[in-house]
Amino acid sequence: MQSVKSGRSFVSVDPSKCIGCGLCEFACTLEKGEQVWNPIRSRIRVVRMAPMFNFALSCRGCDDARCVKACPEKAIVQSEVNRLLVIDEKKCKGCDWCVQACPRGGITIHTGTGKAIACNLCEGVPKCVDICPECALDIVSSDEEADKRFNDALENLPATTEKLTRQIRDKEWKPLLVASEQRTQKITEKLQELNTKALERQQHK
């Protein structure tokens, strides 16, 4: 279980590992106390571009946070600990100016409360990082580090596509099926973990 260090920290994704399963979104909504596992209300969001290229977006705690400057109600400030956003729900009017100002899709409006929401790293131990069955999520401290992972995956995409095309054309089903079964097993185990946590929370209410 990866914990957050002091200084700028945020969740970054390696698209070469992300399978678009959405477990990070479910883990996020469970951790934030949502009544249902609703990905739309997650602080991290999966973008499914294609079968072989998926990625997740969350707040990066930008050094020059445009969302903070854009908020007309002064409802958003940045934490001194990790630079992520602290949103005052009493001040937030849900105008969505912050959403429009963010260049990375890291902030959104909660569909239930109508207030802005953004990742706060679960106050120390991000549940999305812990639940990812492919270890595609990690905690980083700079845009350069995050962008390198993304760009490397993008550059390798043609070669990965060519390899898969060849395997399917040559009917090399066994390695594909084995990989698929292993991935399914990982997802099943993580879902069971989420179910257990959900049941425990219900019992303690």
Side-chain angles (χ1 to χ4, degrees):
M1 189 173 290
Q2 191 175 8
S3 58
V4 177
K5 299 178 182 179
S6 60
R8 186 184 178 197
S9 300
F10 58 93
V11 175
S12 172
V13 64
D14 183 344
S16 69
K17 296 180 180 179
C18 179
I19 58 175
C21 67
L23 286 182
C24 55
E25 297 172 315
F26 291 127
C28 178
T29 54
L30 176 62
E31 175 65 19
K32 296 302 184 289
E34 297 288 349
Q35 296 301 311
V36 293
W37 297 0
N38 188 340
I40 296 177
R41 297 182 178 183
S42 172
R43 276 68 173 173
I44 184 170
R45 290 175 293 160
V46 176
V47 180
R48 299 169 179 86
M49 299 295 293
M52 295 194 318
F53 198 82
N54 308 287
F55 56 94
L57 298 172
S58 66
C59 177
R60 288 193 176 191
C62 302
D63 290 328
D64 183 27
R66 299 181 189 178
C67 57
V68 174
K69 296 178 180 179
C71 180
E73 305 298 331
K74 307 299 180 186
I76 307 174
V77 297
Q78 286 185 284
S79 167
E80 295 182 359
V81 176
N82 52 32
R83 303 301 295 159
L84 291 182
L85 305 181
V86 178
I87 301 168
D88 187 334
E89 291 192 356
K90 293 182 179 179
K91 292 183 179 180
C92 177
K93 304 297 184 184
C95 67
D96 138 320
W97 286 18
C98 55
V99 176
Q100 297 180 49
C102 178
R104 301 185 182 277
I107 188 169
T108 187
I109 301 297
H110 191 286
T111 58
T113 65
K115 308 292 184 177
I117 55 174
C119 174
N120 66 355
L121 293 177
C122 295
E123 299 181 351
V125 184
K127 302 304 182 290
C128 57
V129 175
D130 185 46
I131 206 67
C132 180
E134 298 297 320
C135 298
L137 299 175
D138 198 4
I139 301 169
V140 300
S141 59
S142 70
D143 290 327
E144 290 76 17
E145 188 176 356
D147 291 343
K148 184 180 186 306
R149 303 174 79 198
F150 193 95
N151 292 334
D152 286 349
L154 195 59
E155 289 179 7
N156 291 329
L157 184 58
T160 304
T161 303
E162 182 179 351
K163 179 182 177 181
L164 179 61
T165 300
R166 178 184 56 77
Q167 286 180 302
I168 295 175
R169 184 185 60 237
D170 296 342
K171 297 182 172 57
E172 296 178 7
W173 302 117
K174 187 173 182 179
L176 295 176
L177 290 173
V178 169
S180 178
E181 290 174 2
Q182 292 174 342
R183 191 171 293 120
T184 299
Q185 181 61 34
K186 291 178 184 178
I187 293 174
T188 300
E189 291 172 357
K190 292 297 185 177
L191 275 173
Q192 291 173 343
E193 184 179 331
L194 282 177
N195 280 323
T196 299
K197 290 180 180 179
L199 289 173
E200 289 175 349
R201 294 201 173 191
Q202 288 179 354
Q203 292 172 355
H204 285 87
K205 285 184 177 180

